Amino acid sequence: MKYISTRGKVAPIGFIDMFLMGLGEDGGLIVPETIPAVGAEQLRAWSGLSFQELMLNVFSLYTNDEIPEADLRGLIEASYAGFTSPDVLPLTRINEELSVMELFHGPTFAFKDVALQFMGNLYAYVAKKRGEVINILGATSGDTGASAISSVRGKEGIQICILHPNGKVSRVQELQMTTVQDDNVLNLSVNGNFDDCQQIIKELFADVSFKTKYHLRAINSINFVRILAQSVYYVYAYLKLPEEARSGVVNVSVPTGNFGNIFSGYLARKMGVPIKQLVLATNENNILERFVREGVYKPEGFRSTHSPSMDIQIASNFERYLYYFLGEDSVEVAARMERFKAEGQLTFSAEEVARIQRDLSAYSVGNEECLETIRKYEERHGYLLDPHSACGVAAFERAGNKGDGAFVALATAHPAKFDEAIRLVGIEQKFPERISELFDKPQRQVVVDNSKEAVAAQLKSFYRQTNG
Ligand SMILES: Cc1ncc(COP(=O)(O)O)c(C=O)c1O
Ligand SMILES: N[C@@H](CCOP(=O)(O)O)C(=O)O
C-alpha cells in the first residue's frame, strides 16, 4: 500500500512517511493509492472483536508491515488502556429508533482521544525507532488541542505547539490545554477564530523549507492516520449492533466541522461497511450543509455557537471527499482547489448535486434547536447530550429512519466540557473529577497576533529552548 496526494504531485510513499508528512507537500491531502476492500465475509469474521482487536485488523490493511504486528498491538493496547469504559466506545440504546455510540471515554472526554491517543504513541514510537525529531504543530477549536497535548505531554523527543482561538473555546477546553505545565508543550492563543488558526498552520506546513527545517508534524485530520483511526469506530458501530436491529445496514448521524469525522465514515463505507445514510450535522456554521443541499461551497460569516468545536468554515477534509467525488482525478481536484482559492467559492452542477446527495444528507442545527434537543433527551430519556452530539441527534430526527437498518448517532464529547450550554438548558451537572480539579490549576499560554509571522517567531524560540 502506498499513499499519494489528492493533487497528484507527491511520489507514492509508505505508511510511516505518510504519517510524518501530514499535509501533502504539493498542498493536497494524502490518501491511500487504493482503498482496501472489506467484504461481508471479513466483517462477519470481525464480529465480536474488541475495539482494540478490530483496530489492529483494520490498521494491518494499511501499514505495509512497516510496524511489526507485536509493536502495533502494543501501541494500540497502550492507547486505550486509559479509557474508562471496558468497551472503549460503548453503544447505548436510547429507544427503538436510535442508539448513541459514546466516543468520549478517553482522557480528555472527546472523540478526538480515539485517534490521538494512538497517534501520540505512534509518534513516540517513530521518534525512537527512526530517530526522527517530532515537533507537532496543530490548530484546535478546543478538543483536538486538549487531546493531542494529553497524548504527548512529557514524552521524550516530542514537542507540541497548539494554536487555539482566544476566547472562543469552552472554559474546560481552555483549562485542559493551558494547565499542562510540561516543558514540551506550548499553547498559543491566537487573536482570531479557528479558521485563522488552521490557515496559519497550513501555511507553515506548505512552506516546505520551514517545515523540513523544524520537523513539523501534523495531528489534525489533515493527517490520514487520524482519519484511518476514526474509521474504525464506524466498523465497530456496525458490528456492535445486534444483527436483527441493523438488518444488513447501519445509518450514522455525525456531528461535523472539519469534515474529518464524517469523512472517516465515508472511508469506512468505501472499504465496504454497509453504511446507508451518512448524515452530516452542522451547527449554524453550515458551509457543509449548504454544499450538500445547494451545491455551493462558500464560507459565510463566522458564528459563535453552543457547539464551539464545530465553529468552522473551511473544512480541511472537504478536499479528500472532492477527490473521490471527482473519480480520483487529481488534475481536476487541483484545478477546483485553485478556483476556490481564486474565487472564494465552488459551485456544482445539478447533476453533481444529485450525486453528492446520494453520498450524504445534511442538516444544519440552530442554537435553539440544539438546546431544545438537549432538554428533550434529558427529560424523555434521562440522557444528557453535549451540544455537538445534540446537533447529530437533531439531524437524525430530521433525516428520519427510512425503514432501513438501525440508526447510530455519534456522541463526540462529554457534556461536562460544555457546561455553558448545559446551564442554559437549566441543567446542573456533576463534573467528573478529572475536570473539576482543573479549576484550581495555574494556566500557561501565550497570546499572539493572528499572523503566520507571529506564530513562526514563537515556534523558533520554543524550539531553541527545547531542541537546542
Ligand atoms: C465535540 C466535537 N464534535 C464534533 C466535531 C466535528 O468533527 P470534525 O471536525 O472532524 O468534523 C468536533 C470537531 O470539529 C468536536 O470537537
Ligand atoms: N473540532 C476540532 C477542529 C480541528 O479539527 P481536526 O479534526 O482537523 O483536528 C477541534 O476540536 O480542534
Side-chain angles (χ1 to χ4, degrees), residues 109-112 141-144 173 194 221 226-227 230 233 254-264 281 288 307-312 317 386 388-389 410-414 417-418:
F109 302 92
F111 84 101
K112 307 286 179 176
S141 51
D143 285 329
T144 293
Q173 288 178 319
F194 170 74
S221 56
R226 268 286 294 286
I227 299 295
Q230 291 175 183
Y233 52 70
V254 189
T256 309
N258 229 355
F259 213 99
N261 198 10
I262 196 154
F263 184 80
S264 307
L288 292 170
S307 46
S309 294
M310 302 196 313
D311 291 348
I312 299 174
N317 284 283
D386 100 281
H388 304 76
S389 312
L410 298 181
T412 48
H414 190 292
K417 296 193 83 165
F418 303 99

Side-chain angles (χ1 to χ4, degrees), residues 35-295:
I35 295 177
V38 173
E41 205 170 305
Q42 179 71 85
L43 285 171
R44 251 193 310 279
W46 284 349
S47 71
L49 290 186
S50 66
F51 179 75
Q52 291 90 324
E53 282 292 332
L54 187 62
M55 181 150 177
L56 180 68
N57 277 276
V58 173
F59 264 75
S60 300
L61 302 173
Y62 286 86
T63 51
N64 304 315
D65 297 329
E66 288 178 48
I67 307 173
E69 188 184 317
D71 292 359
L72 187 58
R73 184 183 291 279
L75 289 170
I76 292 172
E77 290 298 333
S79 302
Y80 301 103
F83 277 57
T84 52
S85 166
D87 278 358
V88 183
L89 313 174
L91 190 67
T92 301
R93 185 127 194 222
I94 302 293
N95 58 24
E96 295 237 311
E97 300 278 297
L98 179 69
S99 298
V100 166
M101 176 155 264
E102 295 176 354
L103 305 175
F104 55 73
H105 293 277
T108 67
F109 302 92
F111 84 101
K112 307 286 179 176
D113 290 331
V114 179
L116 286 167
Q117 282 297 308
F118 174 74
M119 284 172 75
N121 287 326
L122 186 58
Y123 270 129
Y125 176 84
V126 172
K128 202 161 159 212
K129 273 251 155 164
R130 300 215 332 197
E132 296 279 351
V133 177
I134 306 291
N135 287 329
I136 295 172
L137 177 64
T140 190
S141 51
D143 285 329
T144 293
S147 179
I149 289 170
S150 137
S151 76
V152 298
R153 59 182 294 183
K155 282 197 169 130
E156 211 178 306
I158 303 183
Q159 278 64 239
I160 181 165
C161 170
I162 296 291
L163 279 58
H164 71 263
N166 188 0
K168 291 189 173 64
V169 298
S170 80
R171 179 75 180 135
V172 169
Q173 288 178 319
E174 184 186 310
L175 290 170
Q176 282 181 321
M177 291 186 279
T178 60
T179 56
V180 175
Q181 300 295 333
D182 300 73
D183 288 339
N184 69 334
V185 176
L186 172 65
N187 277 295
L188 297 180
S189 181
V190 177
N191 283 320
N193 59 34
F194 170 74
D195 291 303
D196 299 321
C197 298
Q198 181 153 263
Q199 180 60 26
I200 291 172
I201 71 157
K202 279 195 176 159
E203 283 174 23
L204 290 169
F205 280 121
D207 181 344
V208 175
S209 69
F210 187 87
K211 174 185 172 182
T212 309
K213 178 167 179 199
Y214 293 105
H215 310 276
L216 299 187
R217 316 294 182 193
I219 41 85
N220 282 101
S221 56
I222 50 177
N223 195 315
F224 181 73
V225 175
R226 268 286 294 286
I227 299 295
L228 181 58
Q230 291 175 183
S231 74
V232 182
Y233 52 70
Y234 287 86
V235 190
Y236 193 53
Y238 171 75
L239 294 175
K240 267 188 91 87
L241 281 166
E243 188 105 35
E244 66 283 2
R246 66 175 186 244
S247 60
V249 293
V250 62
N251 305 288
V252 193
S253 183
V254 189
T256 309
N258 229 355
F259 213 99
N261 198 10
I262 196 154
F263 184 80
S264 307
Y266 180 79
L267 175 69
R269 184 200 260 163
K270 274 194 138 345
M271 282 190 246
V273 181
I275 299 173
K276 188 139 199 270
Q277 285 197 68
L278 203 44
V279 179
L280 182 157
T282 72
N283 62 24
E284 293 179 5
N285 294 285
N286 64 348
I287 178 170
L288 292 170
E289 185 255 348
R290 284 182 285 109
F291 159 66
V292 175
R293 187 164 42 87
E294 299 165 4

